[in-house]
Amino acid sequence: MQNTMWEDDDENNSWDAGDEEEFKKEHDRINNHPLKIKGMEIYKLTSALVGSLDEARAELYGSLMMESAMLIPAKFTGAEGVNDFILKMENATIMKIHARSLNSMTYQLALEGTHAEEHLQLLRDAIEEFKIMFKDWVKGFDSAEKYDDGWGLFID
């Protein structure tokens, strides 16, 4: 018998109602997590800001801002859905970088006078709230639960 990379060696490889229920429960747990909800709030605020930019600024800043705003909740989902410390740290780092980038962009937009300061401050406040929650979330990662990914980072 020839092995293929798609071959599943599990004896019981059927998907049943219990699996469906477990999947939905995990999906709901992740999507109802306060950090995911805050990430989605950041996305919505960013979308509103980008949507009100003039054409030139939207072309210049819009895609960068939306990319950062979309990656924050997406990477949270990726991190929260695994137990591996290394994958969690990778996703958390990406989230941090994009949150910082978005925050920086609010100051650039302020310099250019594109929005009322209070609108930009709404996004800054959401990012600050996210940052506080984020630090607590990362503290909860179990560093003993890690698997070598071949890159050698975070391995003792």
Side-chain angles (χ1 to χ4, degrees):
M1 183 170 146
Q2 182 181 18
N3 285 336
T4 65
M5 70 184 222
W6 303 112
E7 190 173 317
D8 190 354
D9 291 331
D10 291 343
E11 288 181 26
N12 180 10
N13 61 2
S14 62
W15 181 265
D16 62 22
D19 294 328
E20 184 73 30
E21 186 177 318
E22 186 178 323
F23 176 81
K24 183 175 178 354
K25 189 175 177 181
E26 179 67 359
H27 178 268
D28 291 346
R29 182 189 71 78
I30 291 171
N31 285 329
N32 292 320
H33 192 286
L35 200 56
K36 174 73 178 256
I37 292 168
K38 185 57 68 176
M40 292 306 298
E41 178 186 335
I42 289 169
Y43 171 79
K44 290 173 186 169
L45 288 167
T46 302
S47 183
L49 286 174
V50 168
S52 64
L53 289 172
D54 62 48
E55 188 177 333
R57 287 188 177 94
E59 189 174 320
L60 186 60
Y61 305 124
S63 63
L64 290 172
M65 291 179 71
M66 290 309 299
E67 176 184 10
S68 289
M70 285 186 276
L71 278 170
I72 293 169
K75 290 299 178 180
F76 171 79
T77 299
E80 191 64 15
V82 297
N83 292 324
D84 182 14
F85 178 76
I86 294 170
L87 289 175
K88 284 182 173 295
M89 288 302 293
E90 285 178 5
N91 284 310
T93 301
I94 292 167
M95 292 165 63
K96 175 189 168 195
I97 290 166
H98 285 279
R100 287 177 62 190
S101 175
L102 266 179
N103 196 55
S104 295
M105 291 301 297
T106 65
Y107 291 99
Q108 179 62 37
L109 294 176
L111 283 173
E112 295 187 27
T114 62
H115 294 84
E117 180 62 28
E118 56 269 15
H119 295 154
L120 297 170
Q121 192 60 46
L122 287 172
L123 180 55
R124 291 182 198 129
D125 291 347
I127 292 169
E128 185 59 32
E129 292 165 8
F130 177 86
K131 182 173 140 182
I132 292 164
M133 297 164 64
F134 176 84
K135 288 193 242 181
D136 287 338
W137 174 66
V138 170
K139 286 178 190 173
F141 293 177
D142 182 1
S143 63
E145 191 79 36
K146 55 184 154 187
Y147 307 98
D148 188 355
D149 64 355
W151 286 83
L153 299 176
F154 307 114
I155 300 291
D156 298 329

